Amino acid sequence: MVYLIFLAVGVFMSSALAQDVVFVELNTRYTTSDVQVAEPKLIGTYIASTCKHFQGKDAVISLLLLNNQGWIIDDGVVRFFVTEAPASKHGIIYADDVLCTNVIGAQVLPSCTVRNWNGTDLYVHTTSGDVQAISFTMVVRFENTKVIEKNVKPVNYRAFKHFESFKMSDSPVYLTQSVHIDQAVELVYKHNVILNMSFCANPETTKRMKIDSLVLGVGGQSAFNQYACKKLPCTVDGKNVFLSNPNQLPMNILPLSTNIGDFNYLYVLVRCWGGDYNPAIKNYLGSFVYGATVTKF
């Protein structure tokens, strides 16, 4: 879960700026790093390690079939089931384990949703259709829980008998975590904002991993620098800053690498330098979007 914490900024700025306290939530998603190409009837397992950071949110699991966006079964589809536990000791997925699926009767759909996620690791178990070279990518995103209409009945996964013989892949793929802002954020000239983000380790990133933190200015007058902290308070020249890119740039990139234990929580202070003049506030107003992606090295 990631937030732009104007509240934290207000606490550490002068009291005159306390009225500027605002919360803006960012989005977290997990994706395949490469295009997946499946042989006929190939079984796969994809894992999103969450460390219980998204409890109470909805998990939306989506597949994009690159050569079959209409999801026509004769052209090759991918069926998948989502669980919290990896599998039984015999490697079999049972109906009671299934949280959601894209198989509804005779239909095979592009996505399914797990309501009120409360787990640690999310497993997506896939089976490709009997067509050669089915290409796809996968996205798992966490959203605020939506109200379910009263007339919509929950799917009874236990009624699907074919779950009883569904096996887990011996070579799981760990999905890549990233955080981002969907819409541009406006920040007054020479004002700060703190981005608070949580990352979760998996067996591929247990020892070392890298996060590329990117602040991208919008428009021709916006520039920013950024400072990374492992705990609050996070201030320019503060003792908690362990790495920074102090250059005032329209595209400010800060590569972060450390032991995985240090990345459970990360704070990035962004300071605005420049922006277009806004007569309504009689000041310059910068604008930026943000993204950070976890990679192993």
Side-chain angles (χ1 to χ4, degrees):
M1 188 179 302
V2 187
Y3 294 91
L4 283 176
I5 310 181
F6 286 83
L7 175 62
V9 176
V11 170
F12 301 118
M13 292 194 306
S14 66
S15 58
L17 298 175
Q19 64 270 24
D20 296 331
V21 174
V22 177
F23 283 89
V24 179
E25 185 174 0
L26 277 68
N27 300 296
T28 297
R29 59 172 53 194
Y30 294 79
T31 60
T32 46
S33 298
D34 303 302
V35 173
Q36 306 298 297
V37 181
E39 298 176 358
K41 299 183 179 181
L42 181 69
I43 291 175
T45 298
Y46 298 82
I47 304 173
S49 298
T50 72
C51 296
K52 292 186 177 292
H53 288 159
F54 310 104
Q55 290 186 354
K57 286 185 172 289
D58 287 348
V60 182
I61 299 89
S62 304
L63 259 67
L64 169 61
L65 296 180
L66 301 178
N67 300 319
N68 183 15
Q69 288 187 291
W71 283 78
I72 300 170
I73 292 178
D74 290 353
D75 291 341
V77 296
V78 177
R79 296 169 173 84
F80 67 83
F81 314 115
V82 179
T83 66
E84 178 184 347
S88 69
K89 63 180 179 180
H90 301 294
I92 298 175
I93 307 300
Y94 292 100
D96 290 349
D97 300 321
V98 175
L99 301 177
C100 81
T101 179
N102 70 333
V103 181
I104 306 297
Q107 288 185 299
V108 184
L109 305 175
S111 65
C112 75
T113 300
V114 178
R115 303 290 181 183
N116 294 301
W117 170 251
N118 193 34
T120 300
D121 290 334
L122 185 148
Y123 292 78
V124 183
H125 308 276
T126 63
T127 302
S128 57
D130 196 9
V131 176
Q132 185 61 260
I134 299 176
S135 301
F136 67 95
T137 59
M138 180 182 297
V139 177
V140 177
R141 64 185 191 275
F142 291 88
E143 301 178 343
N144 291 326
T145 299
K146 298 178 181 178
V147 177
I148 303 175
E149 297 180 12
K150 294 182 179 179
N151 295 330
V152 177
K153 295 182 179 179
V155 179
N156 181 13
Y157 298 119
R158 298 179 184 180
F160 300 148
K161 296 181 180 179
H162 53 271
F163 284 160
E164 297 177 1
S165 60
F166 189 77
K167 292 186 178 181
M168 178 177 170
S169 170
D170 294 328
S171 302
V173 175
Y174 287 90
L175 300 176
T176 299
Q177 183 182 358
S178 63
V179 298
H180 66 282
I181 300 175
D182 279 340
Q183 297 180 343
V185 174
E186 294 181 331
L187 192 58
V188 176
Y189 175 56
K190 290 189 177 180
H191 278 53
N192 305 337
V193 66
I194 294 178
L195 314 183
N196 172 29
M197 57 201 76
S198 301
F199 291 98
C200 183
N202 62 52
E204 291 187 350
T205 57
T206 299
K207 294 181 179 180
R208 301 282 288 180
M209 71 178 185
K210 185 178 78 165
I211 295 177
D212 289 321
S213 177
L214 171 64
V215 180
L216 181 61
V218 177
Q221 298 296 316
S222 296
F224 304 87
N225 51 17
Q226 58 175 315
Y227 303 81
C229 303
K230 298 175 184 177
K231 62 180 180 179
L232 295 174
C234 188
T235 58
V236 178
D237 284 343
K239 64 179 181 179
N240 292 329
V241 175
F242 71 92
L243 201 61
S244 68
N245 185 342
N247 298 298
Q248 300 96 331
L249 298 170
M251 183 175 69
N252 190 291
I253 302 174
L254 180 59
L256 307 172
S257 59
T258 186
N259 292 325
I260 183 59
D262 297 331
F263 268 142
N264 283 334
Y265 298 98
L266 178 67
Y267 304 91
V268 175
L269 181 146
V270 178
R271 183 168 178 83
C272 177
W273 296 87
D276 296 313
Y277 185 77
N278 188 319
I281 62 173
K282 297 181 180 179
N283 206 337
Y284 296 92
L285 194 63
S287 180
F288 73 93
V289 292
Y290 180 83
T293 302
V294 179
T295 56
K296 63 179 180 178
F297 73 101

